[in-house]
Amino acid sequence: MAKSGKAFIFFNCDADKNESSMNIFYNHAVYKDTKTSRKNLWKKVKEEYGAEKIHIETDNLRTVELAITEGDPVSASDFIQFGAIRSIDCY
């Protein structure tokens, strides 16, 4: 089975998720599309949430967790204010 060619980056950003507000020099951790890396990405999102750097409605925390750990992490961005997850292709 071929390995996934995707990786994910969490970005702090403005409320409108403008690409110009996503700074690769500030958010530079890249998370592979593996079970362990996805757990680490969820840990990062929880830390940012706990530090009140991002906002997630309490009712959506489990949705965000499942999207990151088991589904499409990019879709979790729809439930995160002042944060976004982007995917990149890795070859």
Side-chain angles (χ1 to χ4, degrees):
M1 183 173 164
K3 290 187 176 184
S4 171
K6 293 275 184 207
F8 305 98
I9 304 173
F10 169 81
F11 288 101
N12 296 89
C13 59
D14 63 20
D16 295 325
K17 298 184 189 324
N18 289 307
E19 297 288 328
S20 62
S21 70
M22 299 178 194
N23 185 342
I24 194 68
F25 297 106
Y26 182 75
N27 298 110
H28 54 270
V30 177
Y31 302 90
K32 297 178 190 175
D33 191 7
T34 65
K35 192 171 198 170
T36 300
S37 285
R38 283 171 171 253
K39 284 182 181 180
N40 289 333
L41 175 55
W42 170 236
K43 181 180 174 185
K44 172 65 175 173
V45 170
K46 282 193 310 186
E47 288 171 359
E48 295 293 305
Y49 174 77
E52 298 182 354
K53 294 181 180 180
I54 63 172
H55 179 75
I56 303 169
E57 293 292 330
T58 305
D59 293 347
N60 291 327
L61 283 172
R62 183 74 175 141
T63 302
V64 171
E65 178 183 9
L66 289 174
I68 291 170
T69 59
E70 298 178 19
D72 176 15
V74 174
S75 70
S77 298
D78 294 340
F79 303 96
I80 303 171
Q81 187 178 18
F82 303 111
I85 298 171
R86 297 291 187 248
S87 67
I88 56 172
D89 293 324
C90 299
Y91 299 99

